[in-house]
Amino acid sequence: MAEGGAETSSRVVLETRDVSKQYRLEGVEVNALQAVSIAIRAGEMVSIMGPSGSGKSTLMHIIGLLDQPTSGKVILEGDDISSLSPNELAEQRNKHIGFVFQSFNLLSRTSAQANVELPLVYAGVSGAERVRRAKEALEHVGLGNRLGHFSSQLSGGQQQRVAIARALVNDPSIVLADEPTGNLDSRSGIEVMAMLQELNAQGITVVIVTHDDRIARHAQRVIRVFDGRVKAEEIVRDRVLAAQELAALSAEEVTG
Ligand SMILES: Nc1ncnc2c1ncn2[C@@H]1O[C@H](COP(=O)(O)OP(=O)(O)OP(=O)(O)O)[C@@H](O)[C@H]1O
Ligand SMILES: [Mg+2]
């Protein structure tokens, strides 16, 4: 497939219009986001890039319906979700969005299988169906032989793949990943990026938050934020393909 990605349509799946977010902490106001308007199209892989404190995680929480803006609108699949109740937001989130975090956020003395089943428990899916779908998701990320391992018995890269399986198990159309390689060694990081590129090639819209330019260039497009504002948006000309990076690493190891 050209550029290793799926066809990107012109349909906007996720949009912010003039989104601002203020935090008030001990009387001090922080403008974490100021009039941010972005649009993510179906099938795209986009990076949101910026330095520490620029508002990336705040923006991800808002587009992931984990938090609401102080002002402005968020539109998911054409619906303005600004006025939804917390329960309705949770329902929309579970239906459309999967999350991957820097710190994996897995339960430690719990098997990979049970971690991946968790979103299905919340969604009220029956036991047998849960087992089947969690197993399928873990097989999808290459961990079919680690179903019974506790998170604490898995490598960092494997834990992040469990987290990706958990993000996929509800069949979301969008995966949001906040610094998904931040806690990984470089090879495991590349493996995780390969997985995200592969999911994207299968049609899932992927948004990655990162401060790392090389990670950002695995996407087709980069949105740069600075001081809570969108500073630039650009198409990635020299997109990094993680599968090629992995092949190069393996070749290096063989030749020593
Ligand atoms: N819950 C909060 N209460 C008060 N201020 C907050 C809160 N969360 C974030 N902020 C502030 O908002 C700004 C944006 O934070 P955010 O976490 O979105 O940055 P970031 O780009 O994700 O940074 P990093 O790369 O370090 O993760 C920062 O100045 C931060 O201190
Ligand atoms: Mg952050």
Side-chain angles (χ1 to χ4, degrees):
M1 214 171 298
E3 295 290 293
E7 281 298 298
T8 301
S9 76
S10 53
R11 184 170 64 88
V12 171
V13 282
L14 197 50
E15 191 181 348
T16 66
R17 289 191 196 153
D18 277 331
V19 158
S20 295
K21 179 75 181 180
Q22 272 140 28
Y23 292 112
R24 207 183 301 269
L25 198 62
E26 291 163 1
V28 180
E29 225 170 62
V30 178
N31 291 313
L33 295 175
Q34 301 185 66
V36 169
S37 298
I38 61 169
I40 312 285
R41 284 176 283 279
E44 258 195 310
M45 183 156 173
V46 180
S47 296
I48 296 175
M49 191 173 144
S52 180
S54 56
K56 304 181 298 294
S57 293
T58 302
L59 181 57
M60 193 190 101
H61 287 144
I62 288 173
I63 63 178
L65 317 190
L66 292 167
D67 197 4
Q68 287 189 296
T70 310
S71 63
K73 284 187 174 162
V74 179
I75 294 150
L76 173 63
E77 299 280 7
D79 294 325
D80 182 356
I81 56 90
S82 313
S83 56
L84 296 187
S85 70
N87 279 343
E88 290 168 327
L89 277 177
E91 195 178 304
Q92 289 300 307
R93 191 166 63 227
N94 292 340
K95 190 165 148 199
H96 295 288
I97 301 171
F99 293 94
V100 177
F101 297 98
Q102 175 171 358
S103 51
F104 322 139
N105 291 12
L106 300 175
L107 301 175
S108 61
R109 289 194 58 81
T110 304
S111 69
Q113 168 87 27
N115 267 290
V116 175
E117 278 184 40
L118 212 54
L120 300 174
V121 175
Y122 296 136
V125 176
S126 77
E129 165 102 5
R130 276 202 317 258
V131 171
R132 185 184 66 73
R133 279 169 61 182
K135 189 162 173 263
E136 199 177 277
L138 281 161
E139 280 164 359
H140 198 124
V141 299
L143 289 174
N145 55 353
R146 293 287 189 278
L147 304 179
H149 279 58
F150 288 162
S151 313
S152 51
Q153 297 166 332
L154 296 170
S155 72
Q158 288 170 336
Q159 290 183 56
Q160 194 60 301
R161 275 147 67 195
V162 173
I164 292 173
R166 182 184 55 188
L168 290 177
V169 77
N170 268 336
D171 215 6
S173 50
I174 306 164
V175 167
L176 303 181
D178 194 349
E179 300 278 7
T181 65
N183 282 346
L184 300 176
D185 62 89
S186 69
R187 190 194 183 100
S188 301
I190 296 169
E191 281 169 4
V192 161
M193 292 315 295
M195 195 136 280
L196 292 173
Q197 284 186 330
E198 190 191 314
L199 296 175
N200 178 244
Q202 291 162 3
I204 295 179
T205 306
V206 176
V207 180
I208 307 158
V209 165
T210 183
H211 65 275
D212 181 336
D213 181 62
R214 187 162 175 87
I215 294 296
R217 286 191 293 111
H218 286 76
Q220 296 146 342
R221 193 158 71 88
V222 177
I223 298 172
R224 289 180 194 275
V225 293
F226 193 80
D227 267 353
R229 297 177 189 275
V230 174
K231 221 178 109 193
E233 296 196 40
E234 62 215 48
I235 302 292
V236 178
R237 300 268 164 237
D238 49 349
R239 189 177 185 201
V240 181
L241 296 180
Q244 286 178 6
E245 290 180 285
L246 282 177
L249 271 182
S250 302
E252 242 171 65
E253 280 161 16
V254 171
T255 56

